[in-house]
Amino acid sequence: MHGHTVRRVRTSDEFGGIDLDVIDAGTPGNPVIVLAHGWPESSHSWRHQIDPLVAAGYRVLVPDQRGYGRSSAPKNVDAYRSDRLSADLIALLDDIETDTATFVGHDWGALVVWDLARFHPDRVAGVVNVSVPYTPWPIQPTELFNATYGDRFFYMLYFQLPELAENELETDVSRSLRTVIWGGSGETAAPPPPTGELPPLAGTGLLDTWGAPGGVPDGLPEWLPAADFDRFVEQFTASGFFGPISWYRNLDADWELTKGLAAPPMPVAFIGGDKDMVIAYRMEYVESMTTSLPDYRGHLLIPDAGHWTQQEKPAEFNAALLRQLAAVTD
C-alpha cells in the first residue's frame, strides 16, 4: 500500500467514548473518504480499495468499527445503536479536523451510513453505498420479520435471541466464517427458498441454514487468498461475535431513532453485485431510490459479483467506485 498508518482514535464522550483502530492513508488536506465495513467483515475488507483511492487524490479512513477486530467492544447491547455507530464515524472527521467526508458503506456499513446521513447531514458531502439500498422500514423490523417468517428460521430473528448466535459462531470461528463467506459469494448464488420450506426457528442454528446450496465447498473462493481469510479468523477470534451481532439486536431501536427523519438530502449513488443475495431477487428496492432519495445519482451493477462485492471483483468495483464518487462530487 501507499504510506499509511494504523492508529487508535478515541470517539465521542457523548456516547461513552471508545477506541477504534483506523487505517489512515493519503495526504492530509485531500478530500476525505470513510470506508465502513459490514458483517462479518473488518477494515481488511477494503484492502483492494485503499491504494486506488489514494492514487486518485483522496485521504482514506478505514475503521474497524466498534465490536470488531481489536477496537473497543462494549458488553451492553444498546452500545451498538446506530446513533452511536454513526457518532463513531463522525469522530474520525473530528480527529483529523475536517468538516465533511464522503462515506462509502457496505452491508451493515451501508445501513449505518444511511442513518448517519440523516443524523448528521451537515457532515456528509456524499454517499456511495454498496449492497444495501436505502429502504426505510415500513414498521418495526422484528414485527415485519415475524409477519413474514412466522415460526420459520430467519437469521435476523435468530440474532435477536440472547447468546445463541455468538455461542454457535465462536465454537469454530474458521468454519463459521467460511460458511458465511461461501453463502454470500457469487459463485454459489441461488434464489432464496420459499418461506414454507425454511426450517423452524426453534432448534435451528445459522450454520444449519447458511452456506451454498448442496453444502459448503471445500477450500475458499478463488477471490479470497488463505492469508486474507486467516486475517479475518484472527480478528474474529480476538473480538468474538457479541458486538457484531448486537448491531442486529438494535434494529428496532434504530428504527425508533430514525423513523421521523427525512431521507438523506446529499448526493447519493449505489453499487451492487448482480448476484448479491440482498438485491439480486428484489431489484425493485434499488430502483426505488430513484424516487425515495432527493438527489440520487444512479446505480451501477457489477456482473457476477456476489455479496462481498468489493472483494470478489476488486478491479471492476474500483472502477465503479471512482465513477460513482465522481457522480456525487460533480
Side-chain angles (χ1 to χ4, degrees), residues 186-204:
E187 293 96 326
T188 58
T195 301
E197 295 180 11
L198 295 172
L201 178 62
T204 302

Side-chain angles (χ1 to χ4, degrees), residues 113-293:
V113 169
W114 290 132
D115 286 354
L116 181 152
R118 293 185 283 172
F119 288 133
H120 306 282
D122 57 320
R123 306 298 300 272
V124 183
V127 169
V128 180
N129 268 341
V130 185
S131 180
V132 180
Y134 177 70
T135 312
W137 300 103
I139 58 176
Q140 182 173 278
T142 59
E143 181 182 351
L144 178 63
F145 301 152
N146 281 311
T148 303
Y149 293 95
D151 64 353
R152 301 292 92 187
F153 184 90
F154 179 55
Y155 75 102
M156 291 194 194
L157 287 173
Y158 175 65
F159 283 177
Q160 305 306 311
L161 304 174
E163 299 183 356
L164 288 180
E166 53 265 51
N167 289 344
E168 178 191 12
L169 297 176
E170 290 169 10
T171 298
D172 185 340
V173 173
S174 179
R175 173 178 177 252
S176 297
L177 290 179
R178 192 166 71 87
T179 301
V180 171
I181 287 165
W182 270 117
S185 184
E187 293 96 326
T188 58
T195 301
E197 295 180 11
L198 295 172
L201 178 62
T204 302
L206 181 75
L207 302 181
D208 298 326
T209 64
W210 201 278
V216 177
D218 293 332
L220 297 166
E222 290 186 2
W223 52 266
L224 184 61
D228 293 309
F229 177 73
D230 290 345
R231 175 74 176 272
F232 289 123
V233 171
E234 182 275 329
Q235 289 178 312
F236 280 92
T237 299
S239 68
F241 281 87
F242 171 81
I245 290 170
S246 290
W247 293 36
Y248 289 91
R249 290 173 177 152
N250 279 285
L251 281 168
D252 288 347
D254 296 345
W255 178 73
E256 290 289 348
L257 288 167
T258 59
K259 64 182 180 181
L261 300 179
M266 67 288 298
V268 172
F270 185 80
I271 302 171
D274 70 356
K275 292 186 175 181
D276 186 339
M277 59 186 179
V278 176
I279 58 172
Y281 308 102
R282 47 179 76 88
M283 279 299 298
E284 66 272 15
Y285 290 108
V286 175
E287 299 291 345
S288 72
M289 290 187 287
T290 303
T291 55
S292 64
L293 292 168

Side-chain angles (χ1 to χ4, degrees), residues 82-141:
S82 67
D83 56 342
R84 293 179 164 132
L85 299 171
S86 298
D88 290 347
L89 299 184
I90 294 299
L92 304 185
L93 306 192
D94 294 339
D95 178 68
I96 63 169
E97 299 181 345
T98 193
D99 292 331
T100 63
T102 300
F103 289 83
V104 180
H106 172 250
D107 182 75
W108 246 111
L111 287 169
V112 172
V113 169
W114 290 132
D115 286 354
L116 181 152
R118 293 185 283 172
F119 288 133
H120 306 282
D122 57 320
R123 306 298 300 272
V124 183
V127 169
V128 180
N129 268 341
V130 185
S131 180
V132 180
Y134 177 70
T135 312
W137 300 103
I139 58 176
Q140 182 173 278

